Amino acid sequence: MQAIILLGAPGAGKGTLAEGLKTSTDYLHVSTGDMLRAAVKAGRPVGLEAKSYMEKGELVPDAVIMKIVTERIEQDPPSVKYMFDGFPRTLDQASMLDDVLASHGGRITHVFMLDVPRDMLVSRLSGRRVCKNCGAVYHVQNIPPRVAGVCDVCQGPLYQRPDDCEATVLNRLEVFKKQTESLIEYYREKGVLVKIDAGRDRELAKADIVARLGS
Ligand SMILES: [Zn+2]
């Protein structure tokens, strides 16, 4: 049982990269969000427990997240290779994950830290515009609509989500940095941290990761 982790700030392109890696490697993409939703949908006790926090708008505690991850790992055959995305988030989760994997003869082989210059993250996120009608996503520089402020698909009005305004973006990046500093150090000490230049073409970043996995 092997596992890799994708670590990246908001706007680093983690989702797109995970999608690409899913099709070009035999790693199974696992996000905690998906696992949470599946556990809730299946009505499993741990799912109901998680739901009680989500309904109150509270963060699901580490212990509950870990129960969900553990249940998942116990269901899968030992040959499985995981690609974790958005998890672990905390040092506690990281050390619990190591324990769970170890108890199934597994380990984390690589933690890919997607490195993108801060200016680029800010521009990627704050340039994002979303159609109010159909949810189509644009970017003022990278994917501009044919007519400024108007959706190509449905002619609906484009708007900037409150999450994407520059002040909020800067704050989100700061929070991410604070949250991941200790995680990065943890994995660096274990010798599994790999920095990937994710500020260029997404295909190049993907090829870089695939090459590292093969060597
Ligand atoms: Zn639209």
Side-chain angles (χ1 to χ4, degrees), residues 131-136 138 150-158:
C131 173
K132 232 172 193 149
N133 266 347
C134 74
Y138 299 86
V150 182
C151 177
D152 289 350
V153 183
C154 74
Q155 272 73 53
L158 303 186

Side-chain angles (χ1 to χ4, degrees), residues 3-8 14 17 21 27 82-88 94 97-98 101 107-115 176 180-196 209 212-213:
I4 61 171
I5 294 168
L6 297 180
L7 259 182
K14 202 156 45 77
L17 209 51
L21 288 168
Y27 282 83
Y82 294 109
M83 169 169 52
F84 289 110
D85 163 12
F87 170 85
L97 178 62
D98 279 345
L101 286 170
R107 69 187 182 96
I108 291 161
T109 57
H110 303 75
V111 175
F112 294 105
M113 168 75 205
L114 308 182
D115 194 31
F176 173 81
T180 45
E181 258 164 11
S182 50
L183 267 187
I184 290 170
E185 206 35 54
Y186 178 81
Y187 289 123
R188 196 198 310 277
E189 274 170 18
K190 289 189 171 281
V192 291
L193 189 76
V194 183
K195 226 180 195 187
I196 296 291
I209 292 181
R212 300 283 190 135
L213 288 174

Side-chain angles (χ1 to χ4, degrees), residues 32-49:
T32 20
D34 290 346
M35 281 188 284
L36 272 174
R37 279 186 289 275
V40 172
K41 208 174 152 200
R44 298 209 308 270
V46 72
L48 299 176
E49 204 181 336

Side-chain angles (χ1 to χ4, degrees), residues 7-9 11-14 17 112-117 120-121 124 195-206 208-209:
L7 259 182
K14 202 156 45 77
L17 209 51
F112 294 105
M113 168 75 205
L114 308 182
D115 194 31
V116 179
M120 200 179 278
L121 292 175
R124 278 184 189 172
K195 226 180 195 187
I196 296 291
D197 177 0
R200 34 178 198 165
D201 184 86
R202 300 253 159 97
E203 285 300 312
L204 284 176
K206 190 182 96 183
D208 209 358
I209 292 181

